[in-house]
Structure formats: structure tokens, C-alpha cells
Amino acid sequence: NLHRAESLEVMQTRVEPLRAGIERARHLTEQLLNLARTQAGGSTEATVDVSALARELIAQYLPAAEAKGIDLGLDENAQFSLRASAETLRLILSNALSNALKYVPDGGQVTVRLLTEDETGVIEVIDNGPGIPKAERERVFDAFYRLPGTTGSGSGLGLSIAREAASRLGGTVSLYERHYGAGLVFRYRQRQRE
């Protein structure tokens, strides 16, 4: 098809679907590798400064947020550390942030909130996007499952990987609706250890 293109403009038009397909394949491959790494375990545990990790991730995702006019911020109710693999914890939170930024409409809001409950560290990613119906909130953790009617790129692996990774760290992930307005709360909980 590219060889038979009559002009550079026609060629560029034909290349766009190819580029999009390559990007989807790259993302799927990356997700499958993350799942395999998570299932294999073996990551080194250390004391992870959750505040520092949250700031790093916000800085990493800020350009994507700004491109959509999304207010991306940090609500730090507590500073704490967790005994975990920094790479695995980063993977969990990256999946949550990536999903929030993907589904929140332009001009929306995404907040990373850090808090403690008893001796448990809690990290939440809160957005004002369309949310997930209550009946689907457990189902979206199934590998390759996507909500009916979902458009755009995605493999349906991100939340499955996040749950598997959380389990490896002795933590849990869950989804809740916001207490006020539309949106979703992704919550990671892990007991703090000395």
C-alpha cells in the first residue's frame, strides 16, 4: 500500500494506522513482560519512601496531564515508608496513574493521596472521571477484561498486574467511588513493617 501511494500525504495517511498498531503492540508487550516479572517475583525489598516515590511519579506523568489540561497533584496527609520492592510499588502506582489520566476527561483532576490508618500505609489515586460501575469493579481486575463500550488503546492487563504485584508485596488494591461527585478511587493498602 505504501509503495502505491500517489503522494507523500497519502503515504502519511496510510502510515498512521500502522504506527497506532505498533504502539498498541509495544504497550501490550510491555504489560505482558510486567506481568511475567511480577509473577516470577524475586525483586529486592527495601525501605521505600512513599512520599518521594509519589513525587517522582507525579513528575513523570505531569507532561501527559498537562497535555490534557488535567490538574495532577499530591495530597500528603502522612509521610511514611513501606518495606517493599520499589520497582513493584512503582508498577502498581504507575498503572493507577496511567489509567486515571487515560480516562479522566480534558480539564479533569487526578490526586495522589497518602495517609495512614493504624499501622497501614494507604496510597490512593483519586480522579473525577467516569468511574467504574459497582458491578464491574472486581471484574476489571481480570486479565484482558475491559469495560463494555470502552474505546481507545489498552489491553485490560494493567489492573490485573497491579493486583498481582500488590499480593506479592503483602498489600491489597481495590476500587471505590468517590464520596463526592463522579470519579474513582484506586486504593493500595500495605501494613507498615519495621
Side-chain angles (χ1 to χ4, degrees), residues 169-182:
L169 294 178
T172 60
V173 294
S174 49
L175 300 172
Y176 300 92
E177 63 187 42
R178 284 178 44 179
H179 294 296
Y180 49 91

Side-chain angles (χ1 to χ4, degrees), residues 1-15:
N1 272 343
L2 292 177
H3 285 294
R4 287 179 283 198
E6 305 85 38
S7 69
L8 182 60
E9 189 176 281
V10 170
M11 184 182 291
Q12 287 174 336
T13 302
R14 291 178 181 175
V15 166

Side-chain angles (χ1 to χ4, degrees), residues 32-101:
L32 289 169
L33 284 171
N34 285 335
L35 181 59
R37 282 187 199 112
T38 300
Q39 290 173 337
S43 297
T44 306
E45 281 194 2
T47 300
V48 179
D49 180 339
V50 176
S51 298
L53 178 61
R55 290 178 201 289
E56 287 173 27
L57 286 168
I58 287 171
Q60 177 185 334
Y61 283 95
L62 194 57
E66 288 177 341
K68 289 182 69 178
I70 294 172
D71 178 13
L72 175 60
L74 177 64
D75 179 7
E76 194 170 8
N77 294 322
Q79 291 185 343
F80 60 93
S81 296
L82 294 174
R83 188 82 184 148
S85 158
E87 180 183 311
T88 304
L89 193 55
R90 179 183 299 276
L91 178 64
I92 294 166
L93 300 179
S94 289
N95 273 307
L97 274 168
S98 177
N99 279 342
L101 293 172

Side-chain angles (χ1 to χ4, degrees), residues 113 124 126-127 130-135 137 174-187:
R113 180 166 55 189
E124 295 179 331
I126 305 161
D127 68 61
I132 296 174
K134 190 173 184 174
R137 285 193 205 131
S174 49
L175 300 172
Y176 300 92
E177 63 187 42
R178 284 178 44 179
H179 294 296
Y180 49 91
L184 191 70
V185 178
F186 172 97
R187 182 175 297 151

Side-chain angles (χ1 to χ4, degrees), residues 99-142:
N99 279 342
L101 293 172
K102 185 186 305 181
Y103 294 110
V104 167
D106 291 3
Q109 196 171 36
V110 176
T111 303
V112 177
R113 180 166 55 189
L114 307 178
L115 59 136
T116 56
E117 295 174 350
D118 299 319
E119 294 182 22
T120 301
V122 180
I123 307 166
E124 295 179 331
V125 177
I126 305 161
D127 68 61
N128 66 343
I132 296 174
K134 190 173 184 174
E136 298 284 338
R137 285 193 205 131
E138 275 304 307
R139 187 90 198 273
V140 294
F141 288 104
D142 294 343

